[in-house]
Amino acid sequence: MNHIQLIESKLEPLRDQLKSHPLYSTLSTIDDVAVFMEKHVFAVWDFMSLLKSLQNHLTNVHTPWTPKGKGPTARFINEIVMAEESDINELGEAMSHYEMYIDAMVQVGANTSDIDHFIKAINEGDDVDGAAKKINLEAPILEFINFTMDVVNSNKAHSIASAFTFGREDVIPDMFLEIVGQSKTSDNETYSKLLYYLNRHIELDGDEHGPISLKMVAELCGDDTQKWEEVLETAKEALKLRLKLWDHITDSILKLNTLEVQNT
């Protein structure tokens, strides 16, 4: 059993919890999906910090330019950056996946004000905590994105690659397949942009990005035992925080539904 296989075997219980999480069965109405998206959008946003950090480590984005000597991983990261920042939406227009997600939120009637104000604060120079305070961001969401930023700020390429690979690319297809599978109105135009976004990620991450990202982790760690240990710990924490985020979103949907029943 190689290092990657060993890590994936140790992560299997957490991945199974994610795949069978009760969140998916709560997504039965447009209102449920809207609540999910209003909270999940912060994970869509902070994914780009992981990706851009890896781009900084594995390619040279400074001038004057000098070669990094990491051709295969540089190509992989640059391909993902291109897809994430300028993929083609369902209308054939170039658009980032984040912007596609915002469009999908608008289509289902989700409120984008929190993420809009958060991004505005970041653009105006606030750090994550400062921007979060301005919108009273809920603790489980803030914990999730703070972990991402802590990993990024560790300046350890292998740890960043771990959060990126095992916390995102390697598990997103399974999670999104469950969401698509639970959509009881998948032919409804109200869901068309979200379904396009989800299916696009399933296609890219499952068929292309996920397998190559595993090779990236292996290349960054080599035979360094400490790096492999740090990769495992980072991966475990990333999945645990995803579970906490899923728990939080599930509770929010159930509470909203309970209130609606009480008010009828």
Side-chain angles (χ1 to χ4, degrees):
M1 183 178 292
N2 63 32
H3 288 292
I4 293 292
Q5 292 170 331
L6 181 61
I7 285 176
E8 290 198 312
S9 69
K10 291 185 176 180
L11 295 178
E12 189 171 354
L14 290 170
R15 291 187 56 158
D16 287 345
Q17 288 181 57
L18 271 175
K19 190 174 181 180
S20 61
H21 197 280
L23 167 66
Y24 312 120
S25 63
T26 68
L27 301 176
S28 57
T29 69
I30 291 176
D31 288 342
D32 297 335
V33 173
V35 172
F36 167 80
M37 297 184 78
E38 288 164 9
K39 300 175 190 305
H40 175 247
V41 67
F42 289 91
V44 176
W45 167 78
D46 83 337
F47 168 83
M48 286 304 299
S49 290
L50 288 171
L51 178 56
K52 283 298 189 178
S53 180
L54 283 173
Q55 189 180 34
N56 287 335
H57 280 279
L58 301 176
T59 72
N60 195 337
V61 296
H62 303 290
T63 55
W65 179 88
T66 55
K68 282 272 190 171
K70 297 182 181 294
T73 50
R75 181 181 179 88
F76 165 61
I77 289 300
N78 285 334
E79 285 179 351
I80 296 184
V81 169
M82 183 180 73
E84 289 291 337
E85 285 194 308
S86 55
D87 200 6
I88 302 300
N89 70 3
E90 78 283 0
L91 300 176
E93 303 165 336
M95 182 180 289
S96 72
H97 284 181
Y98 170 81
E99 291 165 312
M100 288 185 198
Y101 199 88
I102 295 296
D103 273 0
M105 289 180 70
V106 172
Q107 187 186 47
V108 305
N111 190 336
T112 66
S113 61
D114 277 353
I115 188 64
D116 289 342
H117 286 112
F118 180 84
I119 295 297
K120 182 174 184 290
I122 295 290
N123 281 331
E124 291 175 349
D126 283 339
D127 60 13
V128 168
D129 284 332
K133 286 179 182 177
K134 287 185 175 179
I135 62 169
N136 295 316
L137 188 62
E138 294 156 322
I141 303 174
L142 180 57
E143 186 179 9
F144 185 93
I145 61 178
N146 271 340
F147 169 74
T148 298
M149 299 314 300
D150 286 344
V151 172
V152 167
N153 292 332
S154 74
N155 208 33
K156 295 179 178 180
H158 59 283
S159 294
I160 301 166
S162 175
F164 177 86
T165 299
F166 298 109
R168 309 294 178 110
E169 298 293 281
D170 207 34
V171 295
I172 281 175
D174 284 346
M175 293 188 300
F176 284 2
L177 277 168
E178 293 299 327
I179 293 172
V180 170
Q182 284 296 328
S183 176
K184 294 181 173 60
T185 56
S186 59
D187 59 343
N188 192 313
E189 282 302 307
T190 308
Y191 282 85
S192 63
K193 290 181 182 289
L194 174 61
L195 289 172
Y196 179 88
Y197 170 90
L198 295 173
N199 283 316
R200 185 65 177 143
H201 269 279
I202 291 166
E203 175 188 355
L204 287 173
D205 298 336
D207 296 340
E208 302 175 28
H209 297 168
I212 301 175
S213 66
L214 294 172
K215 295 180 181 178
M216 173 183 63
V217 173
E219 181 177 317
L220 289 171
C221 291
D223 295 322
D224 191 318
T225 302
Q226 182 176 342
K227 286 183 177 181
W228 281 112
E229 289 175 356
E230 291 176 348
V231 161
L232 177 59
E233 289 309 308
T234 300
K236 283 182 177 178
E237 189 64 18
L239 294 180
K240 288 176 182 177
L241 287 172
R242 174 73 70 167
L243 283 166
K244 286 184 70 173
L245 178 61
W246 264 204
D247 288 344
H248 171 65
I249 297 175
T250 303
D251 289 343
S252 298
I253 292 171
L254 293 175
K255 286 177 182 177
L256 179 64
N257 290 341
T258 300
L259 284 174
E260 288 177 349
V261 170
Q262 291 174 346
N263 292 331
T264 57

